[in-house]
């Protein structure tokens, strides 16, 4: 769940059309197009999640975050049989109550509920839960892992760098590396994760 | 014995903190505060070359000395060279020592080689303009002739094939023929790296895309994660570009020296044991504080504010020995944070609580741009000043911070409440004071009393255990200053 209390706004006089804002917006809310002598930057306020990525990366400092009427991005977990939520979380190797986003406080169960509600892509999950609208860094893999374990396939937009791909988890570390590098304690960390994932869900 | 409070580090104009004009009183200015020098607490603390009264010219000399033993032959005429740096280095001693090291590296590379371009690429954490601020503040853009750049984890990436499969670096970190790894050695985030491959870590962090960082913090586990950086560093892609490494070697008192090597693993061994030797005692001493009020008062996000040369995250974890690899989870790390449910209860009983000695936190000045709600959830927190509260309310990483913190109009009001509620008069101030730490008289007395036995325990029991867990020999310890 994330409260959105700011929206991006562009000063088109400063914009040089580099499209960085388009590339870092987690929900594709920004479109930059070239007009005759200047650039037109269209920011969809219905999609803007107030993450500040565009403001922080614009090389021309052309974007400002302005206060908006606050609203909340969230998906109601209770609309589904919790067993379905639990099953998808554990298949993704998360405990349902485990945090997947430190910034917004989004938990695994909410990502599962959003997918059960029809979210099919990373940007759809951001819009449905607010995940990824904080630092935009650490929840990257939980988002991709959830979509993959739900059996969803989706393609990265060419020239885009909102996300690249899912990476390895500790369960997939080859045995040769586990044996060669005991100081990293892959096996013990995997056991720790397994204890977390299989912990009961308290009401 | 105890002296007057040491001047705290200056606050800094930054978009991540409130305007320093709103900070009308520093923790060190409170009645009853005093200071203890690190040398008093830890007599074998190494000598430092900076601060030293001579200014940063000594850093230039030391960097030149360290680079004299480096083989530059990988850099050929016409090559483009990226000096890879990190934001953390700028948080030491006002940032100028690290900036001077970076300037000197550039000058020496140009002198020693016929490189076409020597650029600065400065990585960062979650405050995507932070290194831009440092570049500007230290005149690095001019020094690098317009070729100094902050690089963020959401910038364009590049896939890197590794022993762990495909991971992702930042395109602009690697858009050169040769890269130079220019970092610092303080243990800092020992809750993350656990003093395993500490010198390699930036390859999985500062120079890496969010996919890789998320792999580190979400996919691999609290100790296994540290292999991520090694996997990237050892990839053919990085090895093809890697030139050498150079580190500003830190102790809690300041800069010990500058160390450079073409062999990053040799440098890693030295920084690993150096970190234990220089920081093990002060962090263990923090673990002997039985009760305190912690004042945050430094230009960095909550976990990174400094006291006695170590960060607040080391204090909130001080009830567990983080160098001891048999301890799977620190009380605070991003793995631990995810292992609490929505009622604040640990998902499994063995999750260690955050340091119970911290009875209250008074947040006089610290930055946004790092998800800090966990700190306010787990330790009673008072934020000083409405402007600061509003600043946190606007930060997308901290929208819930003030839901768990109280607001006080000024520092005196906050402290009056803290003394009354926490029931202790022991105070520790994280204000970046150099050479010692600012504390209340009662805490000074406690620290001086317990320090000798802590130092003895670290020296004779803990360090041998830490080395043994990493298959390292005590002779390495003896070989460093």
């Amino acid at each position: 769940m994330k409260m959105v209390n700011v929206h991006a706004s562009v000063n088109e006089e400063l914009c040089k059309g580099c499209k960085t804002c388009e590339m870092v917006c987690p929900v594709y809310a920004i479109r930059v197009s070239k007009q005759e002598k200047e650039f037109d930057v269209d920011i969809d306020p219905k999609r803007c999640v107030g993450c500040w990525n565009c403001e922080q990366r614009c090389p021309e400092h052309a974007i400002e975050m302005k206060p908006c009427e606050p609203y909340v991005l969230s998906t109601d977990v209770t609309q589904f049989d919790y067993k379905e939520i639990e099953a998808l979380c554990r298949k993704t190797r998360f405990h349902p109550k485990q945090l997947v986003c430190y910034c917004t406080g989004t938990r695994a169960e909410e990502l599962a509920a959003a997918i059960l509600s029809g979210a099919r892509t990373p940007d759809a999950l951001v819009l449905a839960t607010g995940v990824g609208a904080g630092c935009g860094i650490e929840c990257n893999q939980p988002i991709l892992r959830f979509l993959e374990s739900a059996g969803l396939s989706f393609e990265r937009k060419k020239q885009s760098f909102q996300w690249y791909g899912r990476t390895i988890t500790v369960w997939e570390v080859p045995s040769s590396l586990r044996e060669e590098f005991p100081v990293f304690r892959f096996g013990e960390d995997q056991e720790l994760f397994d204890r977390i994932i299989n912990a009961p869900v308290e009401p | 014995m105890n002296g007057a409070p040491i001047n705290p580090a200056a606050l800094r104009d930054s978009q991540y903190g409130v305007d320093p004009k709103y900070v009308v009183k520093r923790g060190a200015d409170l009645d009853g505060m005093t200071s203890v020098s690190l040398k008093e607490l830890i007599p074998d603390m190494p000598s430092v070359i900076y601060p030293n009264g001579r200014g940063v010219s000594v850093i230039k000399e030391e960097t030149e000395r360290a680079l004299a033993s480096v083989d530059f032959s990988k850099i050929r005429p016409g090559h483009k060279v990226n000096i890879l740096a990190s934001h953390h280095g700028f948080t030491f001693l006002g940032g100028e020592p690290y900036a001077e090291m970076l300037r000197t590296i550039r000058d020496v590379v140009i002198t020693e080689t016929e490189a076409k371009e020597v650029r600065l690429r400065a990585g960062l954490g979650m405050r995507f303009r932070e290194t831009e601020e440092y570049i500007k503040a230290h005149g690095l853009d001019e020094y690098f002739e317009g070729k100094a750049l902050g690089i963020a984890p959401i910038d364009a990436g590049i896939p890197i094939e590794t022993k762990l499969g495909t991971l992702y670096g930042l395109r602009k970190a690697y858009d050169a023929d040769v890269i130079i790894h220019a970092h610092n050695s303080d243990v800092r985030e020992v809750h993350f790296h656990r003093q395993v491959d500490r010198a390699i870590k930036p390859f999985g962090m500062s120079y890496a895309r969010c996919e890789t960082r998320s792999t580190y913090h979400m996919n691999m586990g609290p100790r296994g994660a540290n292999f991520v950086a090694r996997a990237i560093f050892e990839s053919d892609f990085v090895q093809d570009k890697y030139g050498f490494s150079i580190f500003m070697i830190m102790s809690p008192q300041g800069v010990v020296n500058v160390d450079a090597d073409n062999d990053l693993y040799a440098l890693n061994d030295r920084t690993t044991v150096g970190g234990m030797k220089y920081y093990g005692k002060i962090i263990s001493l923090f673990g002997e504080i039985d009760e305190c009020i912690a004042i945050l008062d430094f230009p960095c996000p909550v976990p990174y504010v400094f006291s006695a040369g170590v960060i607040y995250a080391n204090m909130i974890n001080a009830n567990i020995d983080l160098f001891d690899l048999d301890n799977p989870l620190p009380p605070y790390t991003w793995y631990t944070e995810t292992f609490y449910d929505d009622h604040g209860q640990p998902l499994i009983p063995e999750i260690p609580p955050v340091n119970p000695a911290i009875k209250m936190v008074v947040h006089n000045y610290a930055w946004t741009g790092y998800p800090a709600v966990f700190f306010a959830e787990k330790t009673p927190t008072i934020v000083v000043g409405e402007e600061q509260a509003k600043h946190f309310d606007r930060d997308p990483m901290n929208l819930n911070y003030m839901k768990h913190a109280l607001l006080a109009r000024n520092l005196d009001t906050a402290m009056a409440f803290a003394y009354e509620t926490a029931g202790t008069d022991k105070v520790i101030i994280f204000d970046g004071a150099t050479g010692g730490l600012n504390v209340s008289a009662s805490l000074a007395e406690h620290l001086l009393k317990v320090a000798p036995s802590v130092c003895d325990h670290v020296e004779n029991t803990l360090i041998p255990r830490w080395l043994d867990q990493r298959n390292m020999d005590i002779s390495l310890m003896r070989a460093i200053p």
Side-chain angles (χ1 to χ4, degrees):
Chain A
M1 181 177 87
K2 195 224 172 187
M3 184 182 69
V4 179
N5 59 5
V6 290
H7 274 167
S9 171
V10 66
N11 179 344
E12 290 185 355
E13 287 180 14
L14 295 176
C15 175
K16 292 191 175 162
C18 71
K19 297 195 175 193
T20 298
C21 52
E22 264 192 33
M23 300 301 158
V24 299
C25 174
V27 292
Y28 310 102
I30 307 178
R31 290 286 176 272
V32 181
S33 53
K34 192 165 193 279
Q35 304 300 316
E36 277 189 12
K37 287 186 177 175
E38 55 188 24
F39 294 94
D40 180 46
V41 183
D42 178 32
I43 302 176
D44 182 352
K46 289 180 184 162
R47 288 184 75 85
C48 178
V49 293
C51 72
W52 295 67
N53 281 1
C54 53
E55 188 270 352
Q56 287 283 289
R57 297 317 291 151
C58 174
E60 307 304 326
H61 295 258
I63 293 177
E64 186 184 351
M65 302 306 290
K66 293 186 174 173
C68 67
E69 192 61 36
Y71 58 94
V72 169
L73 302 172
S74 70
T75 295
D76 179 9
V77 175
T78 64
Q79 63 183 309
F80 297 102
D81 180 347
Y82 203 76
K83 284 181 182 164
E84 283 186 84
I85 303 260
E86 232 180 305
L88 182 53
C89 290
R90 295 198 205 275
K91 185 179 175 193
T92 315
R93 288 182 161 139
F94 281 98
H95 186 282
K97 296 290 184 184
Q98 201 176 330
L99 207 61
V100 293
C101 177
Y102 315 103
C103 306
T104 61
T106 306
R107 294 184 186 277
E109 61 181 1
E110 194 179 354
L111 288 192
I115 288 172
L116 294 174
S117 293
R120 294 286 175 269
T121 57
D123 53 301
L125 275 181
V126 178
L127 285 165
T129 67
V131 69
C135 71
I137 304 169
E138 307 305 342
C139 55
N140 172 286
Q141 287 304 304
I143 290 172
L144 297 176
R145 282 168 59 187
F146 261 95
L147 290 166
E148 182 182 289
S149 69
L152 299 166
S153 60
F154 45 93
E155 289 197 1
R156 192 169 73 86
K157 289 191 179 179
K158 282 183 183 173
Q159 308 301 319
S160 147
F161 41 88
Q162 274 82 1
W163 54 271
Y164 283 90
R166 183 177 86 71
T167 59
I168 194 168
T169 62
V170 71
W171 295 271
E172 298 162 303
V173 173
S175 56
S176 57
L177 292 181
R178 292 168 189 254
E179 286 161 20
E180 190 180 354
F181 298 103
V183 72
F184 294 96
R185 305 200 181 203
F186 297 115
E188 289 175 50
D189 280 3
Q190 181 178 322
E191 284 169 19
L192 172 70
F193 269 135
D194 287 335
R195 285 201 300 282
I196 290 287
I197 295 161
N198 295 314
V201 177
E202 299 297 334
Chain B
M1 191 56 186
N2 310 341
I6 302 164
N7 282 338
L11 303 182
R12 185 187 271 279
D13 262 326
S14 167
Q15 63 188 285
Y16 304 107
V18 291
D19 188 324
K21 76 181 181 190
Y22 291 112
V23 185
V24 295
K25 187 169 188 174
R26 303 293 300 273
D29 298 329
L30 288 164
D31 289 342
M33 295 304 129
T34 183
S35 64
V36 188
S37 80
L38 280 159
K39 274 279 190 190
E40 271 183 285
L41 294 170
I42 304 168
D44 64 351
M45 192 61 75
S47 300
V48 295
I49 60 166
Y50 186 94
N52 65 353
R54 282 182 56 206
V56 291
S57 63
V58 70
I59 300 291
K60 182 179 175 66
E61 291 164 16
E62 181 65 11
T63 303
E64 288 170 345
R65 184 203 59 74
L67 288 174
S69 61
V70 163
D71 176 4
F72 290 89
S73 62
K74 192 154 186 175
I75 305 172
R76 293 194 291 274
H79 267 171
K80 291 179 181 173
V81 177
N82 281 356
I83 298 172
L84 301 181
S86 297
H87 60 304
H88 289 308
F90 294 104
T91 66
F92 294 114
L93 307 165
E96 192 54 17
Y98 187 60
E100 183 65 10
M101 185 181 87
L102 297 173
R103 290 186 203 106
T104 309
I105 298 167
R106 175 186 181 274
D107 293 347
V108 172
V109 168
I110 288 171
T111 304
E112 294 289 327
T113 74
E114 293 178 52
K116 183 181 168 192
E117 271 184 37
V118 181
R119 293 99 63 99
L120 176 64
R121 301 284 199 243
L124 41 77
M126 299 168 139
R127 299 160 300 287
F128 296 159
R129 290 201 192 275
E130 184 178 357
T131 47
E132 281 178 46
E133 291 185 353
Y134 297 132
I135 285 167
K136 187 177 174 191
H138 297 287
L140 292 171
D141 198 35
E142 293 78 21
Y143 205 88
F144 280 79
E145 298 175 338
K147 297 184 180 72
L149 199 65
I151 49 176
I154 59 166
D155 290 349
I158 186 157
I160 300 174
E161 297 310 317
T162 78
K163 287 175 181 168
L164 293 178
T166 308
L167 294 167
Y168 299 88
L170 288 171
R171 196 181 294 168
K172 285 205 181 290
Y174 295 106
D175 65 350
D177 301 292
V178 177
I179 55 168
I180 296 167
H181 174 37
H183 204 62
N184 56 276
S185 72
D186 76 317
V187 300
R188 187 173 295 250
E189 294 166 312
V190 64
H191 52 291
F192 289 146
H193 61 68
R194 307 297 299 274
Q195 207 64 2
V196 171
D197 277 3
R198 189 262 176 272
I200 326 289
K201 185 170 178 253
F203 287 91
M205 203 56 54
S206 290
Y207 320 148
R209 266 277 305 183
C210 52
E211 284 77 11
T212 301
R213 294 185 181 207
S214 184
T215 307
Y216 183 96
H217 287 300
M218 285 285 191
N219 283 5
M220 293 290 285
R223 290 162 296 184
N226 290 301
F227 194 75
V228 169
R230 178 179 281 243
I232 290 179
F233 176 67
E234 290 186 356
S235 69
D236 291 342
F237 174 78
V238 173
Q239 285 301 303
D240 186 50
K241 293 175 182 292
Y242 173 72
F244 62 89
S245 298
I246 176 163
F247 274 46
M248 193 165 77
I249 303 299
M250 301 300 301
S251 83
Q253 292 212 114
V255 182
V256 177
N257 60 17
V258 175
D259 195 355
D261 209 311
N262 294 90
D263 180 352
L264 178 53
Y265 286 120
L267 181 54
N268 185 53
D269 282 350
R270 296 195 289 274
T271 55
T272 299
V273 298
M276 294 173 190
K277 183 173 183 174
Y278 301 154
Y279 289 89
K281 290 174 183 172
I282 188 67
I283 291 176
S284 299
L285 186 56
F286 275 16
E288 293 300 315
I289 296 174
D290 55 348
E291 56 179 22
C292 70
I293 297 163
I295 300 178
L296 315 182
D297 201 13
F298 184 86
C300 264
V302 170
Y304 296 109
V305 297
F306 279 93
S307 176
V310 301
I311 61 174
Y312 178 63
N314 299 150
M315 178 66 191
I316 205 162
N317 280 314
N319 51 323
I320 294 279
D321 176 1
L322 296 188
F323 293 99
D324 184 345
L325 295 174
D326 287 340
N327 290 324
L329 267 181
Y332 167 69
T333 183
W334 276 342
Y335 286 107
T336 317
E337 185 172 346
T338 70
F339 296 161
Y340 284 90
D341 71 13
D342 47 350
H343 302 297
Q345 297 302 308
L347 293 172
I348 54 174
E350 59 260 43
I351 305 294
V354 299
N355 187 353
I358 308 170
K359 302 300 180 191
M360 189 157 287
V361 172
V362 173
H363 176 147
N364 193 46
Y365 179 84
W367 286 357
T368 55
Y370 183 98
V373 67
F374 179 81
F375 298 92
E377 276 178 344
K378 297 299 177 206
T379 310
T381 299
I382 312 173
V383 171
V384 177
E386 203 166 337
E387 285 300 323
Q388 193 152 224
K390 284 182 191 166
H391 195 68
F392 273 72
D393 282 342
R394 271 169 62 84
D395 178 24
M397 293 172 231
N398 284 294
L399 292 168
N400 297 320
Y401 187 75
M402 288 307 301
K403 287 181 184 169
H404 301 276
L406 295 175
L407 174 62
R409 283 205 176 161
N410 58 53
L411 180 58
D412 289 312
T413 312
M415 287 306 294
F417 181 83
Y419 284 131
E420 182 72 23
T421 313
T424 178
D425 64 352
K426 291 184 182 133
V427 178
I428 179 168
I429 308 174
F430 288 80
D431 61 1
T434 302
L437 63 166
N438 289 327
V439 290
S440 62
S442 53
L443 184 54
E445 189 182 336
H446 176 71
L447 289 171
L448 288 163
K449 184 178 164 192
V450 299
S453 62
V454 170
C455 290
D456 183 63
H457 182 57
V458 172
E459 186 86 25
N460 296 308
T461 305
L462 296 183
I463 284 180
R465 180 190 303 164
W466 300 337
L467 290 170
D468 187 52
Q469 288 176 339
R470 293 161 181 82
N471 294 319
M472 301 180 98
D473 191 84
I474 194 79
S475 60
L476 276 166
M477 187 72 73
R478 295 185 187 118
I480 60 171

